[in-house]
Amino acid sequence: MPSLLFCGPKMAACGIVLSIWGVIMLVMLGIFFSAKSAVLIEDVPFTEEDIRNDKNPPGNIYGLYNQVGINCFIAAAIYVAVGAVSLLQFRLNKRQEYMVQ
């Protein structure tokens, strides 16, 4: 049976820690973007035409806030998947270490 092990225990532990940090950070950013935080206006990709051509002045900007928030939640889900793979690698390394002894 081929082994699913492709990284060592230190790299797997590092992947777990980075994934936890990435999930926490991106979920918080997604919440703040969805709440339309004024502090994050610099990170919303809009142009002057978005403001000028808007019949409902904050409508386009709020839509962009929501889109960036959704992107943050999608990135957090990807970090969860990477964390699950790292956890699997960590457990496989522990099992292999146990089998060798």
Side-chain angles (χ1 to χ4, degrees), residues 38-95:
V39 175
L40 297 172
I41 190 69
E42 294 176 356
D43 297 319
V44 177
F46 65 91
T47 61
E48 288 188 27
E49 287 80 28
D50 291 332
I51 297 171
R52 262 191 236 136
N53 299 334
D54 194 7
K55 293 174 179 54
N56 182 11
N60 281 346
I61 303 300
Y62 286 169
L64 290 172
Y65 264 111
N66 287 333
Q67 185 60 45
V68 174
I70 290 169
N71 289 347
C72 287
F73 290 131
I74 291 170
I78 292 171
Y79 266 102
V80 168
V82 170
V85 170
S86 295
L87 183 63
L88 174 70
Q89 291 299 304
F90 191 77
R91 293 190 62 142
L92 286 173
N93 275 306
K94 286 293 184 189
R95 185 182 341 168

Side-chain angles (χ1 to χ4, degrees), residues 7-45:
C7 68
K10 292 179 184 176
M11 185 174 172
C14 180
I16 292 169
V17 170
L18 289 176
S19 294
I20 291 170
W21 171 251
V23 168
I24 291 170
M25 174 107 175
L26 286 168
V27 165
M28 288 178 61
L29 275 173
I31 290 169
F32 293 140
F33 274 114
S34 296
K36 296 159 189 69
S37 177
V39 175
L40 297 172
I41 190 69
E42 294 176 356
D43 297 319
V44 177

